[in-house]
Amino acid sequence: MDSGIYAAVDIGGTKIAYGIFDRERKLIAKGKKPADLTVAGPEFFSGITENIRDLLLEEGREASVLSGIGIGMP
């Protein structure tokens, strides 16, 4: 079932920005973390998913409500 909750991730050279949006594209949570470009592979993306989960939990939502993730990176 599509809950209509989506995450957007912008990976840059110095920071990673996060946004959580509802079905109407309304921003319901956002955050940013410094980019650690010394980490690669699965560990890098594991950190991203943990940050998304933390944002959802701060909004009182479980990670299971997430319908999709969009990632932009150079």
Side-chain angles (χ1 to χ4, degrees):
M1 184 171 131
D2 182 357
S3 68
I5 302 295
Y6 303 92
V9 182
D10 177 17
I11 301 171
T14 59
K15 69 168 175 49
I16 302 174
Y18 300 89
I20 306 294
F21 297 84
D22 67 12
R23 184 181 309 273
E24 288 77 35
R25 299 181 184 149
K26 178 184 170 201
L27 180 65
I28 56 177
K30 66 180 181 175
K32 65 181 175 179
K33 302 278 183 177
D36 182 359
L37 302 178
T38 64
V39 178
E43 293 83 17
F44 181 79
F45 287 101
S46 176
I48 289 173
T49 57
E50 288 173 14
N51 290 333
I52 292 169
R53 184 200 64 221
D54 292 346
L55 270 177
L56 287 165
L57 290 174
E58 288 173 14
E59 292 299 313
R61 301 171 193 262
E62 295 294 324
S64 62
V65 303
L66 196 62
S67 294
I69 301 172
I71 299 176
M73 62 189 300

